[in-house]
């Protein structure tokens, strides 16, 4: 009973009832393709049927003068800022004024970052190079570099703030950094192939990883550092994909951690699994385009694949597709929910579908 109450309190506490809730979508968030929403941060009103609200002008230009690929998006509530990484730069934008505070070129480029729970520190991977940058969120200054990788890529900050999970897509291992010492502290695996997008549960004892060549996912024990399960999508064959090169680029836990949603780029679908062993395959959801990412609203009501649909999690129904001010379809692999009280941001989600259950039975 206390376990169920804990879940209810966590969900209610993160739902932001009575708050203004907005979905911030950074574009071009599918390579440098401007046909999925143009350039900037597009803001949608979650409480008002995901109505388009505004476009925030961003910089992030490639040396050729064209908008550069957006690689990641993250929020610092204490600094009232949203951050966008591109191939070349890191940009900080004020959430009240929508103005650019600074944009800084980063040596070695940028990939998908993560910000500490206190909003002050960022782990920013170089662009598939051999190191992660530890960045001061206020100034954008690089504090330290953590090296020794093949192709640094995706990053998740643990909810407790003690560790950071580092995805080297040239390795069969998922790496763990000590967030305070700013050094490597361990690894999980080996997995069956190179690790691609992944997610972790709220208690930080399980990691769910997608891999090169696998339509499905594997599960790792974060405490023991071992792989504990291999799960393949049944009834659908993998095939060529237009982007990313792996069949299941994108995976997320619903905030209540009951379900795991897995992307299928070749068949343009989401496959829904039970998030506990034996990881039963529950259903599949067709999409309008190839998915390369999946995340959820903070209350767990909506799923947001990068193909642009808004899906009701409970019914699996596609409610609508995101549209910009010109009524064009919007798609991005980089989006995050931000909640406001008046003009002040008070709570934010993350670009990953990270589990929200942080306490078990006591």
């Amino acid at each position: 009973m206390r376990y169920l109450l804990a879940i209810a309190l966590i969900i209610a506490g993160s739902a932001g009832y009575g708050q203004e809730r907005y979905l911030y979508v950074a574009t071009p968030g599918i390579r440098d393709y401007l046909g999925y929403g143009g350039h900037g941060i597009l803001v949608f009103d979650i409480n008002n049927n995901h109505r388009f609200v505004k476009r925030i002008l961003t910089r992030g230009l490639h040396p050729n003068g064209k908008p550069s690929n957006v690689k990641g998006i993250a929020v610092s509530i204490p600094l009232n800022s949203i951050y966008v990484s591109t191939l070349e730069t890191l940009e900080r934008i004020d959430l009240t004024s929508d103005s650019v505070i600074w944009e800084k070129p980063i040596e070695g480029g940028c990939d998908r970052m993560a910000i500490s729970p206190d909003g002050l520190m960022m782990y920013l991977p170089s662009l598939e190079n051999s190191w992660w940058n530890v960045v001061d969120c206020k100034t954008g200054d690089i504090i330290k570099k953590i090296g020794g990788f093949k192709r640094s890529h995706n990053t998740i900050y643990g909810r407790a703030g003690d560790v950071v999970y580092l995805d080297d897509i040239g390795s069969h291992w998922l790496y763990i950094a000590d967030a305070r010492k700013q050094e490597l502290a361990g690894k999980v695996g080996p997995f069956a192939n190179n690790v691609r997008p992944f997610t972790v549960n709220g208690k930080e004892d399980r990691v769910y990883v997608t891999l090169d060549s696998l339509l499905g996912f594997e599960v790792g024990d974060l405490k023991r550092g071992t792989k504990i399960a291999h799960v393949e999508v049944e009834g659908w064959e993998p095939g060529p994909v237009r982007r990313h090169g792996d069949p299941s680029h994108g995976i997320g836990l619903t905030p209540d951690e009951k379900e795991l949603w897995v992307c299928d780029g070749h068949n343009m679908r989401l496959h829904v699994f039970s998030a506990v062993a034996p990881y039963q395959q529950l259903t599949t959801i067709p999409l309008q385009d190839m998915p390369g990412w999946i995340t959820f609203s903070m209350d767990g009501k909506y799923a947001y694949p990068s193909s642009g649909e808004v899906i009701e999690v409970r019914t699996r129904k596609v409610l609508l597709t995101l549209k910009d001010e010109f009524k064009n379809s919007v798609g991005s692999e980089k989006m995050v929910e931000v909640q406001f009280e008046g003009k002040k941001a008070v709570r934010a989600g993350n670009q990953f579908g990270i589990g929200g259950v942080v306490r078990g039975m006591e």
Side-chain angles (χ1 to χ4, degrees):
M1 187 68 182
R2 281 180 292 175
Y3 176 68
L4 296 176
L5 179 59
I7 295 176
L9 289 172
I10 291 162
I11 294 173
S14 64
Y17 297 115
Q19 310 280 350
E20 298 176 57
R21 304 166 59 213
Y22 298 98
L23 184 66
Y24 280 64
V25 180
T27 60
I30 299 176
R31 291 187 173 172
D32 61 351
Y33 303 155
L34 295 177
Y36 289 96
H39 182 214
I41 299 176
L42 284 66
V43 181
F44 298 88
D45 187 342
I46 296 174
N47 291 337
N48 191 12
N49 204 33
H50 292 82
R51 178 183 61 86
F52 174 83
V53 176
K54 61 184 175 181
R55 181 186 297 265
I56 300 172
L57 299 180
T58 56
R59 297 175 185 173
L61 297 180
H62 191 272
N64 64 13
K66 296 181 179 179
S68 188
N69 306 40
V70 173
K71 300 300 291 183
I73 187 169
V75 174
S76 169
I77 293 298
L79 297 178
N80 197 49
S81 298
I82 189 165
Y83 299 79
V84 173
S85 62
T86 69
L87 295 176
E88 302 86 13
T89 68
L90 177 66
E91 191 169 353
R92 178 186 171 192
I93 299 164
D94 185 85
L95 280 166
T96 299
S97 67
D98 296 339
S99 59
V100 176
I101 299 174
W102 46 252
E103 181 188 29
K104 296 198 172 187
I106 304 296
E107 180 185 2
C110 305
D111 221 309
R112 196 182 291 265
M113 70 294 214
I115 290 177
S116 58
D118 65 10
L120 302 180
M121 198 72 63
M122 176 189 297
Y123 273 63
L124 175 69
S126 56
L127 186 60
E128 297 187 20
N129 286 305
S130 62
W131 70 91
W132 256 263
N133 296 300
V134 183
V135 178
D136 184 316
C137 287
K138 184 175 183 180
T139 64
D141 295 339
I142 296 176
I143 299 168
K144 187 176 181 179
K145 292 184 177 181
I146 303 174
F149 304 96
K150 296 179 180 178
R151 297 173 63 195
S152 60
H153 199 50
N154 294 315
T155 319
I156 291 179
Y157 227 109
R159 284 188 177 274
D162 299 325
V163 299
V164 188
Y165 304 100
L166 311 177
D167 169 17
D168 178 348
I169 63 172
S171 173
H172 291 203
W173 296 86
L174 179 75
Y175 293 90
I176 303 175
D178 184 310
R180 293 178 172 82
K181 294 181 179 179
Q182 299 170 359
E183 60 186 31
L184 283 179
K187 59 184 181 179
V188 184
F191 296 100
N193 210 325
N194 293 333
V195 176
R196 302 305 299 270
F198 69 101
T199 189
V200 299
N201 65 349
K203 292 170 59 179
E204 297 182 60
D205 60 4
R206 291 290 181 270
V207 61
Y208 306 85
V209 303
T210 62
L211 307 171
D212 279 341
S213 303
L214 175 63
L215 181 56
F217 60 94
E218 291 190 338
V219 185
D221 185 319
L222 289 172
K223 303 304 182 184
R224 297 181 179 180
T226 59
K227 182 179 81 173
I228 58 175
H230 174 93
V231 182
E232 297 184 14
V233 173
E234 297 179 350
W236 299 89
E237 294 296 325
V241 292
R242 300 195 302 275
R243 297 178 290 274
H244 301 300
D246 54 314
S248 290
H249 192 279
I251 186 170
L253 280 165
T254 54
D256 62 9
E257 298 187 9
K258 292 181 178 180
E259 295 177 355
L260 193 68
W261 291 40
V262 183
C263 291
D264 178 348
H266 174 66
N267 298 296
M268 297 201 305
R269 291 177 178 266
L270 285 169
H271 302 293
V272 181
F273 289 81
S274 168
V276 296
Y279 308 106
Q280 179 184 358
Q281 187 171 330
L282 302 174
T283 192
T284 184
I285 302 171
L287 303 173
Q288 66 177 355
D289 200 348
M290 173 190 158
W293 204 259
I294 175 70
T295 189
F296 299 90
S297 60
M298 294 170 67
D299 61 4
K301 184 176 180 180
Y302 303 113
Y304 302 118
S306 60
S307 46
E309 292 90 348
V310 176
I311 302 172
E312 187 176 46
V313 171
R314 181 180 61 84
T315 64
R316 324 278 204 242
K317 291 182 179 179
V318 175
L319 301 178
L320 55 97
T321 56
L322 298 174
K323 302 286 186 181
D324 67 11
E325 66 269 46
F326 308 109
K327 306 303 179 184
N328 296 320
S329 294
V330 174
S332 177
E333 297 171 0
K334 293 84 186 183
M335 61 180 79
V336 63
E337 179 181 345
V338 185
Q339 299 179 357
F340 288 80
E341 289 182 357
K343 294 184 178 181
K344 175 68 175 177
V346 295
R347 191 177 293 107
N350 63 81
Q351 59 191 319
F352 289 85
I354 301 174
V357 180
V358 296
R359 291 191 298 169
M361 187 178 297
E362 298 177 355

